[in-house]
Amino acid sequence: MTQETVAATSDAVLDREETISRDELEALQLSRLQHTVAYAYDRVPLYKRKFDEAGIHPTDLRELADLGKFPFTTKEDLRLEYPFGMFAVPQHEVARIHASSGTTGRATVVGYTKKDLADWAKLVARSLRASGVRPGMKVHNAYGYGLFTGGLGAHAGAEALGCTVIPISGGQTERQITLIQDFKPDAILATPTYLLTIADAMVKQGIDPASTSLKYAVLGAEPWTEEMRHELEVTMNLKACDIYGLSEVMGPGVAGEAVETQDGSHIWEDHFRPEIVDAFNPAVGVDSVLGDGEHGELVFTSLTKEALPIIRYRTKDLTRLLPGTARPAHRRMGRITGRSDDMIILRGVNLFPSQIEEIALRIPELSPHFQLELTRPEGTRMDQLTVKIERRDAVTVEGAAAAAKVLQQQIKIHVGSSCTVDVVEPGSLERSNGKLRRIYDLRPKA
Ligand code: DLL
């Protein structure tokens, strides 16, 4: 452990910044923020241009609320500056590059200095520790390795915490199961839907998923619900916590959940300043910033990053900020209900896949394996939603048909949308290998 750490809870040593007061934290945020906006303005032409256009200067940032006067940064900005235009250091100081898959346009490229990598590892270690992982534990890392930040990000954090890391990456589910049986890891790091795939495959092999050595799961990279947490905890007999992050801001470990409270991820506010803004209001300015507890789009400003300082990045993730609990100075984020660009608008009603997950998992006959299909039957202008969902193994076809009716009614009551529910055979829908695609938009392209 470094000198920055002090003893805090009975069985874990926390970073000093995890235990400071809110006042001390905000003072730290202000000085780091003042440095970051000046640093970004001086080193990244895009920020200079945007600040100048908005008539704002780094010296205008006198208190934390002044951040609301600065322009937002979007994924589009990163795409336009592809590949390295947003980097604030010369290339030889960039120790690592990651990138998004680029399936919906040009990839977004992010970079890290040696210090950025050390900070990232520290924050992932902090998140894992909050979620129950301890030095000396064996950690099975099933996040994908490569340009995706999940694999290498989680790996470095687990190593920094002092764990034994098993770098299996995503996929090859049979092999994952063999290694879990043979190596007896204490913790698993994966997307929630991939952990479900693993549990399912275990059952198929006649292995009880509750019988493994796994005690902790640290899950993220896609939206998931309390119902899914319950499903995984019961099926696998472990404690499942959330980890949140995004590559443009760092990667996994921007926020992490405490196992003793399991009440949402604490945003590590000594490194990131969060804001919630009105997702559908393009206005820039202090007025567009919403208060704690209000639902909107999460926006982040990095406070310590060197290679890719990011100012007011629009994540498109919809959630709200809540007061800190297990780490009182650091605010929590509510569950991500969805992304603003993943929202289905069905005859005027907004709908997210996580709402369907929440409702479906309360119906015992239905499994967590579902897809949403959007169609527009020929000759009509009406969009139609079909929920394809697998019945549980032990359920009869008649039982499943009754469950389908219940699901349809519940969606109508709780979401307000009419849809068709199609209960399908167990094992017939595509399984996740990482981030699962839930929405299949089969409507004719305009
Ligand atoms: O998914 C980083 C990550 C890896 C986080 C492993 C956690 C674990 P990106 O590929 O850039 O980075 O995708 C970021 O994924 O904006 C959210 O929409 C979604 N996301 C990430 N974590 C969560 C979570 C990684 N815990 C995007 N809950 C984000 C809900 C999440 N959504």
Side-chain angles (χ1 to χ4, degrees):
M1 286 288 158
T2 62
Q3 304 153 325
E4 304 170 52
T5 58
V6 292
T9 63
S10 54
D11 71 332
V13 179
L14 304 187
D15 295 340
R16 204 189 78 78
E17 292 83 358
E18 281 176 273
T19 59
I20 59 180
S21 69
R22 182 75 201 171
D23 284 350
E24 211 182 330
L25 181 65
E26 287 194 348
L28 182 68
Q29 283 188 329
L30 180 60
S31 67
R32 287 183 168 178
L33 200 53
Q34 286 168 331
H35 167 78
T36 296
V37 291
Y39 176 87
Y41 184 84
D42 290 344
R43 289 175 176 237
V44 183
L46 175 117
Y47 285 122
K48 178 165 186 343
R49 198 170 62 241
K50 284 191 149 206
F51 290 10
D52 288 348
E53 275 167 18
I56 191 97
H57 190 265
T59 50
D60 295 326
L61 201 143
R62 291 185 202 95
E63 53 184 85
L64 287 172
D66 292 333
L67 181 59
K69 299 174 187 157
F70 285 74
F72 293 119
T73 307
T74 63
K75 200 176 192 82
E76 197 46 37
D77 290 324
L78 270 82
R79 288 206 174 120
L80 289 173
E81 296 298 318
Y82 176 88
F84 305 140
M86 299 287 285
F87 286 12
V89 295
Q91 183 261 308
H92 68 268
E93 287 178 33
V94 177
R96 172 108 60 83
I97 286 169
H98 281 282
S100 73
S101 57
T103 44
T104 55
R106 266 178 174 178
T108 45
V109 179
V110 296
Y112 307 78
T113 63
K114 279 211 162 73
K115 178 180 174 293
D116 292 334
L117 290 176
D119 283 344
W120 184 13
K122 182 184 80 175
L123 293 180
V124 173
R126 191 190 281 183
S127 306
L128 296 178
R129 186 178 53 218
S131 300
V133 183
R134 292 288 174 271
M137 283 188 180
K138 279 174 279 179
V139 174
H140 180 104
N141 185 16
Y143 286 119
Y145 282 65
L147 287 172
F148 173 52
T149 53
L152 285 164
H155 180 110
E159 269 186 6
L161 183 58
C163 299
T164 307
V165 189
I166 301 156
I168 176 109
S169 191
Q172 296 191 292
T173 307
E174 309 287 292
R175 188 139 186 258
Q176 304 254 358
I177 295 173
T178 307
L179 295 194
I180 291 170
Q181 297 284 86
D182 296 348
F183 294 178
K184 302 196 174 9
D186 304 277
I188 185 162
L189 317 181
T191 63
T193 56
Y194 189 53
L195 187 57
L196 202 60
T197 301
I198 294 176
D200 243 39
M202 282 181 176
V203 174
K204 282 213 181 66
Q205 289 185 23
I207 299 165
D208 176 4
S211 70
T212 74
S213 56
L214 290 168
K215 292 184 278 298
Y216 300 99
V218 188
L219 311 174
E222 61 184 4
W224 58 305
T225 58
E226 281 307 309
E227 284 71 17
M228 182 70 102
R229 179 185 343 243
H230 180 75
E231 169 86 18
L232 290 166
E233 289 195 337
V234 171
T235 317
M236 301 205 70
N237 186 29
L238 45 71
K239 283 280 190 189
C241 284
D242 183 61
I243 184 165
Y244 169 87
L246 62 166
S247 41
E248 293 85 354
V249 173
M250 181 178 76
V254 171
E257 189 173 41
V259 69
E260 62 270 36
T261 45
Q262 289 191 308
D263 55 358
S265 285
H266 280 89
I267 296 166
W268 304 125
E269 287 203 57
D270 48 331
H271 291 268
F272 310 101
R273 171 79 184 174
E275 297 167 279
I276 295 285
V277 303
D278 185 341
F280 304 101
N281 175 0
V284 177
V286 268
D287 290 347
S288 63
V289 178
L290 302 178
D292 285 6
E294 289 190 82
H295 275 281
E297 178 180 345
L298 191 53
V299 168
F300 280 110
T301 300
S302 68
L303 302 178
T304 50
K305 281 174 70 189
E306 292 180 338
L308 192 101
I310 194 110
I311 311 293
R312 305 198 81 207
Y313 184 71
R314 304 276 305 240
T315 64
K316 294 191 186 292
D317 290 326
L318 302 175
T319 185
R320 62 196 176 129
L321 293 176
L322 299 164
T325 51
R327 305 288 181 275
H330 300 260
R331 279 172 291 177
R332 285 167 302 141
M333 48 195 275
R335 278 224 182 257
I336 306 256
T337 43
R339 294 177 54 80
S340 56
D341 53 3
D342 237 12
M343 187 171 75
I344 298 170
I345 305 175
L346 198 66
R347 277 163 260 147
V349 177
N350 301 343
L351 182 150
F352 293 102
S354 62
Q355 291 173 291
I356 307 292
E357 180 176 297
E358 206 172 292
I359 297 169
L361 278 179
R362 291 194 203 129
I363 303 172
E365 291 82 5
L366 301 178
S367 81
H369 302 289
F370 71 92
Q371 287 175 1
L372 306 182
E373 244 179 48
L374 274 173
T375 50
R376 186 175 300 152
E378 231 174 282
T380 71
R381 289 219 210 138
M382 289 284 244
D383 290 343
Q384 218 160 43
L385 173 71
T386 305
V387 180
K388 286 190 167 173
I389 185 158
E390 292 179 15
R391 62 180 165 85
R392 299 228 185 229
D393 277 323
V395 173
T396 61
V397 174
E398 297 76 48
K405 273 222 172 78
V406 176
L407 179 59
Q408 197 179 15
Q409 285 163 355
Q410 294 290 312
I411 292 172
K412 180 78 196 158
I413 294 169
H414 294 290
V415 185
S417 304
S418 301
C419 65
T420 308
V421 175
D422 193 359
V423 180
V424 298
E425 286 299 293
S428 61
L429 297 180
E430 197 180 320
R431 289 293 184 266
S432 164
N433 261 337
K435 289 181 194 262
L436 179 64
R437 180 171 159 207
R438 291 276 194 206
I439 301 174
Y440 289 78
D441 190 347
L442 309 177
R443 291 173 297 185
K445 298 274 166 289

